[in-house]
């Protein structure tokens, strides 16, 4: 039972016992809000079901409402949770919905309200939420807390703590620094014989600040003696606190002070001669001291995660002899973790989100801001990646690389140049390997030429020059021979596809006034060989452009994505970001995008005659091609999308019938071909291969967690 703040403590207990539903605890940093909340939870957990949540930097009202829902489901039991999940689903983001988009936070709160009604008065539930001031601007946070309080059932209580004041609750407690009497009681708990003169000196120097009083009490000798200097009292206390640690603990915490979070993995990575086991044991020991706070467990590793108290971290950081070394080691750690995430990933930009941002925080500390591109590349040199590993890493990290004025395109262009040069410098063992290296080199030539127009760098070879040399290589090397003999008939398309890509890209990259139509004409000449004429292609493109302009789809999609990214990046604070914060941000972003895409597709398909008109207009354009394959594929694609988002619609069957009809026309067309590259019998109208991402959009209910 706490001897300090007993009146406030028992008043809150009585308020909860009387049925008060919402309580808020406020106070300045280090005043003891978290400790007060923990003691309340420990006491109340004997009679109530309790769940504790900690708001981290980057969390939002939406993420907190989702976390509360998860905790509520866990608290009320499996059966109630399953019933709630089955009956509380939102319309608008399921495949069978009517296309009505709903706000995630409102959806979570509706489910939470429904679930909280199942909590009976004999086993009431209490949510404890610490650091609510980190959610958003004060007024936004207060509005959300009002909304949340009104959502919960009568047998669910909400006890919050944070720096902001919030009077619109049933009961409030504002914690001040300790009075002189409380300061005396605080020290006498551990040192009953401490004299009044010492108490007076401590109180005068520290103004009863609980955090510094705690450090001083822990740093005191066994005999309860306190040395109170006349000046720089708080610095003295912090130094004395370090002296109270073992030599290993002091060395450990000094050298890790600049890290946003501490776990056995990163600590062993940045400290020389410290194993994971040693790091874990040291962290366990430090967690018993006032200076280190436990944040919970990492959502990706399961390890316990800690943080040095904000008020002590600054002091420790100032004592670091070589902060650059720490930040460089931390950057290398997060960079290698990022590589592990993006290796083989289908969505490297999204998978690299968490470790990219954490790595950036340390990289920016090394250079006191965003490093220049070459400085960044020098840091990557230290990672000693193999060339293919380095390029894969860059594709995952470049979107987050902290370069001035967003020079990610320049970064990729330079990296692609180096990688292509490395490929060209390899010595092939035989003709087959030479063809392979040339083929891969051509593909990378296309990539490095494509990114050049987005850079401000003067390269020795321009994109147009690269395209010209690429065309020459396509003519000089028989890439078809690279494939096995039974595949060579089909592989005849490969050189033409390379030519097509080069001509289209070169036409796009030419400066205004340089267009003579040569590349565009050459591209259409390639398509003509496969029975797809210019009239059909331009008609199809015009239809797409008209629909996009009509709905401003491109601008809307771009604004939507930028808005989501700005929101989540705006919540990122490099000085207080944890891995769990970023994992949740990443998961929220993914979930939000899936839900929005699902709603958009469902609304268009279920309600828009204009979309069906567009599909048939495109079909009419493609019907003008000599080769019926393209119109058959188009209708099959459209039918497949309809089956995913509106399986019972009459339009789905109509499109399937059109696809089947043109497949039969294609069969007749094939009879006059000596060597059809693709036989229509292999074409399954009702089972088209579709990207996994589209399947995920169609099945999204907005709850998918990326880290599961």
């Amino acid at each position: 039972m706490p001897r300090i703040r007993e009146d406030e403590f028992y008043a809150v207990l009585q308020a909860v016992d009387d049925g008060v539903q919402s309580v808020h605890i406020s106070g300045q940093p280090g005043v003891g809000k978290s400790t007060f909340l923990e003691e309340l939870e420990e006491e109340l957990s004997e009679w109530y079901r309790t769940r504790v949540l900690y708001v981290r930097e980057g969390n939002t009202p939406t993420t907190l409402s989702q976390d509360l829902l998860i905790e509520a489901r866990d608290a009320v039991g499996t059966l109630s949770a399953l019933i709630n999940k089955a009956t509380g689903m939102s319309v608008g983001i399921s495949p069978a919905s009517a296309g009505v988009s709903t706000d995630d936070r409102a959806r979570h709160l509706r489910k939470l309200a429904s679930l909280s009604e199942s909590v009976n008065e004999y086993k009431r539930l209490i949510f404890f939420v610490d650091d609510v001031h980190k959610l958003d601007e004060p007024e936004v946070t207060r509005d959300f807390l009002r909304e949340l309080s009104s959502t919960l059932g009568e047998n669910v209580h909400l006890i919050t703590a944070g720096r902001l004041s919030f009077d619109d609750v049933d009961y409030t407690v504002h914690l001040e620094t300790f009075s002189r009497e409380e300061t005396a009681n605080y020290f006498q708990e551990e040192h009953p014989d401490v004299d009044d003169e010492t108490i007076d000196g401590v109180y005068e120097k520290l103004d009863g600040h609980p955090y510094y009083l705690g450090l001083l009490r822990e740093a005191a000798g066994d005999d309860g003696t306190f040395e109170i200097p006349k000046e720089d009292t708080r610095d003295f206390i912090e130094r004395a606190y370090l002296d109270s640690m073992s030599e290993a603990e002091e060395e450990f915490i000094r050298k890790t002070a600049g890290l946003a979070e501490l776990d056995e993995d990163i600590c062993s990575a940045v400290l020389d001669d410290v194993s994971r086991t040693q790091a874990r044991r040291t962290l366990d020991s430090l967690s018993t001291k006032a200076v280190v706070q436990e944040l919970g467990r990492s959502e990706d590793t399961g390890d316990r995660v800690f943080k040095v108290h904000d008020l002590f971290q600054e002091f420790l950081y100032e004592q670091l002899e070589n902060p650059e070394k720490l930040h460089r080691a931390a950057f290398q750690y997060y960079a290698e973790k990022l590589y592990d995430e993006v290796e083989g990933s289908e969505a490297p930009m999204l998978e690299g989100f968490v470790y990219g941002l954490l790595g950036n925080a340390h990289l920016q500390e090394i250079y006191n801001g965003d490093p220049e591109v070459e400085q960044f590349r020098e840091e990557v040199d230290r990672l000693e990646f193999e060339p293919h590993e380095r390029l894969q890493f860059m594709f995952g990290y470049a979107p987050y690389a902290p370069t001035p004025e967003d020079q990610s395109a320049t970064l990729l262009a330079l990296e692609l140049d180096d990688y292509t040069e490395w490929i060209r410098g390899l010595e092939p063992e035989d003709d087959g390997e030479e063809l392979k290296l040339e083929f891969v080199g051509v593909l990378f030539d296309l990539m490095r030429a494509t990114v050049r127009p987005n850079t401000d760098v003067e390269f020795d070879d321009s994109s147009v020059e690269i395209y010209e040399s690429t065309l020459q290589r396509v003519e000089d090397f028989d890439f078809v021979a690279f494939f096995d003999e039974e595949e060579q008939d089909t592989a005849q398309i490969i050189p033409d596809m390379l030519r097509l890509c080069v001509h289209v890209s070169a036409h796009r990259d030419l400066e205004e006034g340089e267009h003579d139509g040569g590349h565009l004409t050459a591209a259409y000449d390639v398509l003509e060989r496969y029975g797809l004429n210019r009239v059909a292609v331009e008609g199809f493109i015009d239809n797409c452009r008209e629909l996009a302009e009509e709905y401003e789809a491109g601008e809307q999609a771009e604004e939507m994505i930028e808005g989501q990214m700005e929101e989540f990046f705006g919540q990122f604070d490099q000085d207080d970001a944890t891995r769990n914060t970023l994992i949740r941000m990443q998961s929220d972003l993914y979930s939000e995008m899936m839900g929005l895409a699902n709603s958009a597709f469902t609304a268009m398909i279920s309600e828009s005659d204009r979309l069906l008109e567009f599909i048939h207009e495109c079909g009419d354009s493609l019907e003008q091609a000599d080769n019926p394959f393209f119109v058959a594929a188009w209708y099959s694609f459209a039918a497949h999308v309809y089956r995913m988002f509106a399986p019972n619609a009459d339009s789905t069957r109509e499109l399937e019938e059109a696809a089947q009809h043109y497949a039969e026309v294609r069969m007749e067309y094939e009879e006059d071909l000596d060597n059809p590259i693709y036989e229509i019998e292999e074409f399954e109208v009702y089972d088209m291969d579709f990207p996994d991402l589209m399947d995920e959009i169609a099945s999204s209910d907005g709850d998918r967690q990326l880290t599961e």
Side-chain angles (χ1 to χ4, degrees), residues 382-550:
R382 298 171 185 270
L383 297 170
E384 298 182 349
F385 284 135
E386 293 294 325
H388 64 280
E389 294 175 333
R390 178 181 177 120
L391 190 63
Q392 191 168 22
F393 167 78
M394 284 299 188
F395 274 118
Y397 193 21
Y400 313 115
T403 56
E405 300 177 358
D406 187 19
Q407 297 183 40
S408 56
T410 300
L411 176 61
L412 277 179
L414 294 170
E415 291 292 326
L416 285 165
D417 279 1
D418 285 354
Y419 187 75
T420 307
E421 182 180 357
W422 173 75
I423 289 176
R424 301 265 187 232
L426 295 175
E427 291 292 334
E429 295 182 358
D430 51 39
D431 291 343
E433 187 169 293
E434 181 183 14
L435 275 176
K436 177 181 179 180
L437 293 177
E438 279 297 336
F439 184 72
V440 173
V442 164
L443 295 180
F444 276 98
D445 276 338
L446 281 172
M447 293 173 65
R448 67 193 187 98
T450 299
V451 297
R452 267 165 164 63
N454 299 320
T455 70
D456 296 327
V457 178
E458 289 291 335
F459 293 97
D460 292 336
D461 48 356
S462 68
S463 61
V464 174
E465 289 171 331
I466 294 175
Y467 291 134
E468 290 173 353
S469 65
T470 301
L471 287 172
Q472 189 60 51
R473 289 179 184 276
V474 174
E475 301 303 325
D476 291 344
F477 291 91
D478 182 13
F479 291 130
V480 174
F482 169 65
F483 295 87
D484 293 335
E485 189 171 339
E486 64 272 13
E487 298 175 329
Q488 288 184 3
D489 286 344
T490 303
Q492 296 292 329
I493 197 174
I494 298 297
D496 281 334
M497 290 301 98
L498 291 174
R499 293 185 185 99
L500 182 64
C501 290
V502 171
H503 287 305
V504 170
S505 298
H507 176 78
R508 181 201 61 198
D509 290 353
L510 285 173
E511 296 289 340
E512 194 69 31
E514 294 181 357
H515 290 280
D516 59 4
H519 284 294
L520 193 58
T521 300
Y524 280 119
D525 287 344
V526 173
L527 293 176
E528 285 278 7
R529 299 175 195 172
Y530 299 92
L532 189 59
N533 57 48
R534 185 166 187 159
V535 173
V537 174
E538 291 184 345
F540 184 89
I541 293 174
D542 287 343
N543 291 327
C544 294
R545 185 180 294 116
E546 182 179 340
L547 185 71
E549 290 175 353
E550 188 174 326

Side-chain angles (χ1 to χ4, degrees), residues 55-56 91 120 134 151 184 186 215 248 268 354 396 400 418 431 451 517 523 533 553 572 587 595 643 652 669 674 691:
V55 178
R56 307 297 177 212
V91 297
N120 62 55
K134 295 181 179 179
T151 294
Y186 183 75
L215 292 182
S268 62
V354 172
Y400 313 115
D418 285 354
D431 291 343
V451 297
N533 57 48
F572 172 71
S587 181
R643 281 197 302 277
T652 304
Y669 177 83
D674 295 330

Side-chain angles (χ1 to χ4, degrees), residues 162-179:
R163 298 175 190 174
L164 83 165
S165 61
F166 181 50
D167 297 328
D168 291 351
V169 290
D170 301 320
Y171 192 84
T172 61
V173 175
H174 182 72
L175 301 183
E176 302 282 359
T177 54
F178 289 163
S179 66

Side-chain angles (χ1 to χ4, degrees), residues 206-222:
L206 298 179
D207 300 322
H209 197 291
Y211 175 70
Y212 284 100
L213 291 173
L215 292 182
L216 183 60
R217 189 174 75 172
E218 288 195 25
D222 294 336

Side-chain angles (χ1 to χ4, degrees), residues 312-432:
F312 197 72
Q313 189 175 41
E314 182 178 352
F315 168 80
L316 284 171
Y317 190 73
E318 290 173 352
Q319 314 303 311
L320 275 177
E321 294 180 359
N322 190 353
E324 183 177 308
K325 179 181 178 182
L326 171 69
H327 289 300
R328 179 163 285 122
F331 166 72
Q332 292 175 346
Y333 166 80
Y334 287 121
E336 289 170 355
K337 295 287 284 186
L338 184 149
Y339 175 76
D340 291 340
E341 288 290 311
V342 304
E343 185 182 15
S345 170
E346 294 180 359
M349 287 180 61
L350 192 59
E351 301 292 351
F353 180 88
V354 172
Y355 296 114
L357 292 184
L358 286 169
N360 284 354
H362 295 285
L363 194 60
Q364 288 167 318
E365 287 294 330
I366 296 173
Y367 292 99
N368 296 317
D370 294 340
E372 298 294 332
V373 169
E374 287 303 332
Q375 290 175 319
F376 174 76
R377 297 182 75 208
E378 288 173 7
E379 293 300 326
V380 178
D381 288 342
R382 298 171 185 270
L383 297 170
E384 298 182 349
F385 284 135
E386 293 294 325
H388 64 280
E389 294 175 333
R390 178 181 177 120
L391 190 63
Q392 191 168 22
F393 167 78
M394 284 299 188
F395 274 118
Y397 193 21
Y400 313 115
T403 56
E405 300 177 358
D406 187 19
Q407 297 183 40
S408 56
T410 300
L411 176 61
L412 277 179
L414 294 170
E415 291 292 326
L416 285 165
D417 279 1
D418 285 354
Y419 187 75
T420 307
E421 182 180 357
W422 173 75
I423 289 176
R424 301 265 187 232
L426 295 175
E427 291 292 334
E429 295 182 358
D430 51 39
D431 291 343

